[in-house]
Amino acid sequence: MNVVILAAGMGKRMQSALPKVLHPLAGKSLLGHVVDTARTLSPTRLCIIYGHGGDAVPAAFAATDIVFAKQEPQLGTGHAVMQALPFLDDDTPTLVLYGDVPLTTSASLKKLLACAAPGSLAILTVDMPDPTGYGRMVREDGKIVRIAEQKDATEAERALTEINTGILIAPTPHLKRWLASLSNNNAQGEYYLTDIVACAVADGVPVHSAQPGAIWETLGVNSKVQLAELERIFQRNLANQLLEQGVTLADPARLDVRGTLVCGRDVTIDVGCIFEGDVVLADNVSVGAHCVIRQARIGNGAQIKPFCHIDDAVVGAAAVIGPYARLRPGTTLGEGAHVGNFVEIKNSQIGNGSKANHLAYIGDATIGARVNIGAGTITCNYDGVNKSRTIIEDDAFIGSDTQLVAPVRVGAGATLGAGTTLTKDAPAGKLTLSRSKQVTLDGWQRPTKLQK
């Protein structure tokens, strides 16, 4: 089929320079949600109608399967679909979607497609307790005969509760003919796409309808208030899916997933956690409160304590992270590794059973197994121009307040004394330290403040 997505609106009520359809919901633009849903239907042509925001919308979707058509000026939904006509294949029907209606599911669209007999027009409708502002479905003898827009509807028509969602599928040759006959003689002075229903009835073309699984699938975004409402609907739906899969959520209302979260068995997630990008939590993982985890894989039985930030990293099985730890891109932790409070690790590999439990910075380092990193340790990886690597071999012990000036290597089983500044390789199995001689000065007096 052809799919046309209308995404040209200004969105004045958003109070933003960003085009409305590019505002994010769950870490993805509104339009991005609609495009992804459309792709599940395997369309042969996918056309986006853009307008306000200039080239920002096409620039956000550099995909070969999408064509763009600009609507300028914006003269209504019917006029918007007209801009797509040169790109449509007459041999397949055309489905019309909206770039600011992000939560419509592919299942509901498939129900619509199933009710659209060849040569007929099919519309997604919904019964809404308060239909104010929506076009009403006007039926005679149970059959749809037209759509009455709110501003043009009679009092009797405004009492109807079945509303038009705007989502429809039509035979493309009929659609082209109906669009050519539209008039803007209405309260808005616009060309309404909904007027094609009356055209279909006049031509004797059957008009069918289907309803979505839930009203929220058809809700659009016209303000930040509505955007926030849909965000919570999306997150609660996703939380319910996780709960059904057996994930323990301390509070389903305090979870944000802005990407894809895959969980194994017996996973526990505390309140206020944010997951971005593609995140995998293996079996028996526990995530403490207020963690931010992005583009990461967490191994079986790992414990992520509260207030940790994990970004593009891999955490091994049975590892213990935090609280207040930060794993930056390129970090890989082995099985049973410990990273404690106020430890930052960047572009480093930490071996099985190694520990950095307190107040350390480890950057551009390769650390073997069973290594102990003392409090206050720093790998000095940057000289202002170049970054160099630190290598610490298995079973080494790094004393507290040590600076390792890269490039440098610590041999297997070596010990660095506390307070060492290491500028040369430390041999395996030996104690290396650099420390000024301790001196005590007899007769020294602490200075005191002068009295004014």
Side-chain angles (χ1 to χ4, degrees):
M1 73 189 76
N2 307 299
V3 173
V4 177
I5 303 175
L6 306 190
M10 178 185 294
K12 288 182 180 180
R13 291 167 56 193
M14 299 296 286
Q15 301 292 331
S16 172
L18 185 69
K20 178 173 68 170
V21 295
L22 296 185
H23 281 265
L25 184 148
K28 184 191 300 182
S29 71
L30 299 175
L31 181 55
H33 284 276
V34 181
V35 169
D36 286 350
T37 301
R39 283 177 172 148
T40 66
L41 305 176
S42 302
T44 50
R45 304 283 173 87
L46 179 53
C47 181
I48 295 176
I49 311 302
Y50 72 103
H52 284 287
D55 294 330
V57 171
F61 294 88
T64 56
D65 64 331
I66 300 175
V67 294
F68 293 89
K70 191 170 186 178
Q71 184 191 20
E72 194 174 33
Q74 282 79 47
L75 301 177
T77 52
H79 179 257
V81 178
M82 292 178 195
Q83 313 313 304
L85 297 184
F87 304 102
L88 304 184
D89 180 0
D90 284 356
D91 294 331
T92 61
T94 296
L95 174 67
V96 178
L97 302 174
Y98 293 81
D100 60 356
V101 182
L103 301 186
T104 311
T105 65
S106 57
S108 291
L109 292 179
K110 288 174 182 177
K111 285 174 60 179
L112 178 65
L113 302 181
C115 81
S120 69
L121 171 64
I123 304 171
L124 195 68
T125 70
V126 66
D127 288 311
M128 191 167 286
D130 180 6
T132 304
Y134 292 94
R136 312 302 204 277
M137 306 304 300
V138 180
R139 294 177 181 264
E140 294 179 2
D141 298 326
K143 296 180 180 179
I144 297 171
V145 294
R146 62 188 177 86
I147 298 173
E149 294 297 333
Q150 172 80 21
K151 293 185 178 181
D152 304 303
T154 65
E155 185 174 345
E157 290 168 343
R158 291 184 183 183
L160 300 173
T161 58
E162 184 186 14
I163 63 99
N164 167 46
T165 68
I167 296 172
L168 57 82
I169 185 166
T172 303
H174 289 344
L175 179 63
K176 290 182 175 181
R177 186 172 68 257
W178 296 333
L179 290 173
S181 68
L182 294 184
S183 166
N184 66 346
N185 184 22
N186 52 57
Q188 293 285 81
E190 295 183 347
Y191 297 93
Y192 293 151
L193 179 63
T194 51
D195 287 347
I196 69 171
V197 174
C199 296
V201 173
D203 287 350
V205 173
V207 181
H208 304 291
S209 67
Q211 294 217 338
I215 291 177
W216 50 258
E217 291 189 45
T218 67
L219 299 178
V221 172
N222 291 300
S223 68
K224 293 292 180 65
V225 171
Q226 292 174 340
L227 178 61
E229 290 171 349
L230 290 198
E231 178 78 38
R232 294 331 308 162
I233 291 171
F234 181 94
Q235 296 297 343
R236 185 57 202 240
N237 289 340
L238 196 148
N240 287 343
Q241 292 174 22
L242 292 172
L243 291 167
E244 292 291 343
Q245 294 167 17
V247 177
T248 298
L249 302 177
D251 185 352
R254 288 187 283 174
L255 170 78
D256 284 271
V257 178
R258 301 167 186 170
T260 302
L261 176 60
V262 177
C263 296
R265 294 175 63 86
D266 298 308
V267 169
T268 300
I269 301 173
D270 210 331
V271 300
C273 293
I274 298 173
F275 300 91
E276 299 180 342
D278 295 324
V279 176
V280 177
L281 307 180
D283 294 351
N284 304 297
V285 167
S286 65
V287 181
H290 305 292
C291 290
V292 179
I293 301 178
R294 176 188 172 276
Q295 207 68 30
R297 298 201 315 274
I298 313 298
N300 194 331
Q303 298 178 50
I304 313 299
K305 295 184 177 181
F307 298 101
C308 291
H309 283 218
I310 300 176
D311 183 2
D312 198 9
V314 176
V315 176
V320 180
I321 313 299
Y324 295 100
R326 184 183 182 195
L327 307 184
R328 292 171 57 190
T331 296
T332 301
L333 304 184
E335 182 176 348
H338 286 203
V339 176
N341 45 276
F342 305 107
V343 175
E344 177 182 355
I345 303 178
K346 186 269 295 184
N347 191 31
S348 297
Q349 293 75 50
I350 313 294
N352 295 345
S354 290
K355 299 178 181 180
N357 278 327
H358 323 277
L359 303 161
Y361 170 70
I362 300 170
D364 299 297
T366 300
I367 297 176
R370 301 172 301 281
V371 172
N372 185 85
I373 306 292
T377 296
I378 297 173
T379 59
C380 305
N381 57 322
Y382 184 49
D383 62 8
V385 178
N386 300 306
K387 293 187 177 181
S388 301
R389 199 154 191 88
T390 296
I391 298 174
I392 302 176
E393 297 180 357
D394 294 350
D395 300 302
F397 183 96
I398 311 300
S400 297
D401 196 28
T402 294
Q403 298 86 48
L404 299 101
V405 182
V408 71
R409 177 186 291 268
V410 177
T415 297
L416 301 187
T420 293
T421 298
L422 192 72
T423 58
K424 298 178 182 179
D425 291 354
K430 296 184 178 181
L431 170 65
T432 299
L433 69 161
S434 64
R435 193 181 294 165
S436 299
K437 182 179 179 180
Q438 183 170 313
V439 176
T440 300
L441 300 179
D442 294 330
W444 176 84
Q445 294 292 324
R446 180 181 297 172
T448 58
K449 290 185 178 181
L450 296 175
Q451 298 296 324
K452 293 185 179 179

